[in-house]
Amino acid sequence: MPPKAKAKDKGKAPQTQPTKPESPKPSTKLMSSAILAAKPIKSWYEVVIEDEETPKSPQVQTDAVQQWDDTISKSPELLLALQKVSQQASSDSVSQTGSISKSLSKPQGGILSSKPLLSLQQTSFPKTKSKYIFKNAFQNILTMEEGFYHENPSIAASKIFPPKWHYKPWNFAQPQSYYATILEITDSVKFKHFKLHSDHTEPAYSTCIIHKVIHPKDWGQPLHQPVSFPIQYRTSPQDFNTTYTYWDYQQAWFNAFLIQNQNHSHSWLFYFHNTMNTTNLPLWFLQWWDFYGCHVDYLKEHPLVENGYLHFKNNFQPAPSERKFSSLLIFCTKFFVPWVCSWFFDYNLQNGHPVLIRKFKIKWWDSFAAESKKFKISCYGMVTQTSNNPHH
């Protein structure tokens, strides 16, 4: 978690029960492992470069990569559903039929293009039911004290936290809405919440379009200096002097998404906006991606997207700063690949005591166009159309 008042049990707990204490004198094997662990970790780009140094078939030329970059982005499988969501996020009502007038633009080599990619009509999607993939990364919340444990971790959390709070209430003036507002007023994200029925008080799911993640060097003032909320967000006298710092902004990326409904089934649909710039991402965003981000297993049941990703990974030339981040993160920003993320409470055993943790799971967005047999990706990443009707 980003800097905030911490308890001793914060951080990542071991996924299994603690092992027996090690011998005071480390073995040669342990020393060797420690030395290896101390070496710098290679970026995905460096690994790809090393792999390409071994004899292989001729490398795809840059112009072929650019051609693939242009053609894959025009695939209905990758853009149809996203255009639908983009328009939903920008207006309160969307017609169920008819054409989509607002097209997305894709960054080209770090430079935004104003040329629309595609103008498609909405079409029906096959009804599928994707399965969640559970992520390995999780957040420690607190060690359960005697009298607060319940076999259902969600019930235990409700006994510990105030209503609609899902993290330690260090400051009651900073609920989830406080952090969500910070992300919106900094133009970092765009939220929209959806209820299954008009009389519901809690959303069933929400969308988050990520526009940018501000690096400390781009904050424009000392990181600890308070910034006042815009006046339109000061809804009551006690809110008039509401302020935030860069550290609150950083924490907002971890707390703004901590909303849940009574069925504990709330989910987020994430995707990046075409204004997203990956050349100035802060390193702490790596941890956010570990929790809320996409995962390579997410693509395995969708060959069109997976093949595109593999081609991208092996041929895209990232900026030096982009090499610090996963190739999947960069890929998702370039092609607006969406994913559904949900979190839930669980327990982990640490030092023989249960620790309340937050786990994360992701899945394919069921409304995303299913794989079409009318399109395929060749070994050069080209999209080959085998049907006269590209929309179905």
Side-chain angles (χ1 to χ4, degrees), residues 80-81 83-85 87-88 93-102 119-125 391-392:
L80 179 58
Q83 292 183 34
K84 179 180 179 181
V85 170
Q87 188 171 7
Q88 284 181 337
S93 60
V94 178
S95 173
Q96 297 300 317
T97 58
S99 62
I100 300 175
S101 60
K102 183 177 180 181
S119 180
L120 298 174
Q121 288 189 334
Q122 296 183 24
T123 185
S124 60
F125 298 111
H391 292 177
H392 187 67

Side-chain angles (χ1 to χ4, degrees), residues 157-332:
S158 67
K159 294 165 59 178
I160 296 171
F161 302 134
K164 297 186 178 181
W165 283 69
H166 305 288
Y167 54 94
K168 293 179 180 178
W170 299 110
N171 187 338
F172 277 100
Q174 297 178 349
Q176 177 274 335
S177 58
Y178 166 83
Y179 291 110
T181 301
I182 291 175
L183 294 186
E184 289 201 292
I185 63 180
T186 55
D187 297 322
S188 296
V189 306
K190 177 66 176 179
F191 291 123
K192 191 165 185 181
H193 305 284
F194 300 85
K195 299 176 182 178
L196 293 181
H197 301 285
S198 58
D199 59 343
H200 284 187
T201 58
E202 300 168 323
Y205 63 95
S206 306
T207 60
C208 174
I209 308 174
I210 303 174
H211 289 253
K212 65 181 178 181
V213 184
I214 304 175
H215 193 283
K217 63 181 176 60
D218 299 322
W219 191 244
Q221 58 189 14
L223 304 183
H224 64 276
Q225 183 172 321
V227 181
S228 296
F229 274 57
I231 192 168
Q232 63 267 30
Y233 289 91
R234 304 171 191 172
T235 57
S236 59
Q238 58 265 32
D239 292 336
F240 190 79
N241 292 319
T242 299
T243 61
Y244 62 96
T245 67
Y246 181 82
W247 305 118
D248 294 317
Y249 171 80
Q250 185 189 73
Q251 188 70 29
W253 279 95
F254 296 85
N255 287 3
F257 307 101
L258 301 183
I259 60 176
Q260 197 55 270
N261 53 40
Q262 61 181 3
N263 296 324
H264 300 279
S265 61
H266 180 271
S267 61
W268 286 93
L269 173 66
F270 289 105
Y271 74 92
F272 294 96
H273 192 264
N274 62 344
T275 56
M276 183 69 185
N277 182 1
T278 54
T279 62
N280 61 350
L281 284 174
L283 289 176
W284 57 257
F285 194 66
L286 285 167
Q287 189 177 29
W288 185 91
W289 184 257
D290 285 342
F291 296 147
Y292 293 98
C294 195
H295 191 277
V296 290
D297 289 345
Y298 171 83
L299 308 178
K300 289 184 177 179
E301 296 183 0
H302 305 274
L304 175 68
V305 183
E306 183 183 30
N307 291 341
Y309 162 67
L310 293 176
H311 189 84
F312 172 89
K313 180 179 178 180
N314 287 289
N315 294 279
F316 178 70
Q317 298 295 318
S321 58
E322 291 177 318
R323 298 173 191 175
K324 302 172 185 177
F325 298 87
S326 75
S327 55
L328 182 60
L329 189 160
I330 305 300
F331 176 76
C332 289

